[in-house]
Amino acid sequence: MRGTTVARRRRVRSACVRSPRSAAALATVAALLALTACGGDDLRPADDGAQTSDDIGASVVDTPTLRALKADAGIEACPRTSRRGAVEGGLPGVILDCLGGGAPVSLPGLPARPTVVNVWATWCGPCREELPYLARLHDEADGSVAVLGIDYRDPDPEAALRLAKDSGVTYPLVSDPDQSVAKGLGVVGLPQTVFVDAAGVVVATERTPITSYDQLRSLVREHLGVDVA
């Protein structure tokens, strides 16, 4: 009887994981379950709808004003991303807040399709000049290539959203005020444009400004194998 009871106890499991044998293990498992929701894989907004990034001049990236600016510019919602870890040769394992509100974005968890990631800021003159070309790419690619903008070390998210509107940008934007991607993307200056294939691998990085739409189309064709009109 005693042996049978022990065997039964060993077979007891929680909904998603084996039952822990200590209070400390229980706390750890509870935290993991809260993150994964027993297999739920997507990152989602906080329940109150407000995410903030690390402060630079007490800046935040989700306020009523920023949400209104984002809506006025017609900027798309940030993509739903998974919690999968970074792949070899891929984007760094960084989670960034969605500029103007929305679900946070895990860079390695971006949807599996060719993607152009542009690192920019309002204080970067060449960034201002190339934003319209990226906006056009997003419009004309019609989903064959995704575009994501990373607002980098920028203390004024309101100015960033106004610039995006003036430039015709409607692709999703995330915020990186504390330069989280600097090491992983090898950022040495702005602008910087990163080309990521459908497998999540960074296939090329351009560290010089894009000066025409034709140049951007050529880079997409060369690095991602997609011919955009």
Side-chain angles (χ1 to χ4, degrees):
M1 287 292 293
R2 184 175 182 275
T4 301
T5 302
V6 170
R8 288 175 179 171
R9 287 176 179 171
R10 287 177 178 172
R11 288 197 296 269
V12 174
R13 288 173 171 80
S14 65
C16 300
V17 297
R18 185 182 298 273
S19 298
R21 297 184 179 181
S22 69
L26 179 59
T28 300
V29 170
L32 288 172
L33 293 181
L35 286 172
T36 61
C38 292
D41 211 27
D42 290 339
L43 296 180
R44 300 175 184 272
D47 290 340
D48 61 3
Q51 288 92 41
T52 62
S53 286
D54 289 348
D55 287 348
I56 288 186
S59 69
V60 293
V61 297
D62 185 357
T63 66
T65 297
L66 293 176
R67 286 184 173 229
L69 288 170
K70 179 176 180 176
D72 183 54
I75 295 172
E76 296 176 6
C78 284
R80 291 276 291 273
T81 55
S82 71
R83 299 177 186 275
R84 70 171 178 263
V87 301
E88 184 175 358
L91 294 171
V94 173
I95 297 175
L96 299 175
D97 289 330
C98 188
L99 183 59
V105 171
S106 166
L107 294 186
L110 286 167
R113 60 174 166 167
T115 301
V116 175
V117 179
N118 180 249
V119 188
W120 66 289
T122 56
W123 45 261
C124 164
C127 298
R128 292 172 171 267
E129 296 174 6
E130 70 178 16
L131 283 175
Y133 308 134
L134 291 152
R136 183 177 174 185
L137 174 68
H138 173 66
D139 291 342
E140 299 196 5
D142 195 27
S144 61
V145 176
V147 182
L148 178 72
I150 299 178
D151 188 30
Y152 182 83
R153 198 165 60 82
D154 205 335
D156 191 346
E158 289 188 24
L161 289 171
R162 291 192 180 97
L163 175 58
K165 179 183 178 181
D166 292 343
S167 303
V169 167
T170 58
Y171 53 80
L173 300 173
V174 294
S175 178
D176 185 14
D178 58 349
Q179 308 170 73
S180 299
V181 302
K183 182 177 179 180
L185 293 183
V187 178
V188 295
L190 299 187
Q192 176 170 312
T193 304
V194 179
F195 298 83
V196 186
D197 68 15
V201 176
V202 174
V203 294
T205 297
E206 295 289 333
R207 292 187 172 87
T208 56
I210 294 168
T211 58
S212 72
Y213 180 63
D214 285 341
Q215 178 194 7
L216 180 56
R217 285 180 60 215
S218 296
L219 291 170
V220 169
R221 185 185 309 114
E222 175 186 356
H223 299 314
L224 299 178
V226 180
D227 196 358
V228 180

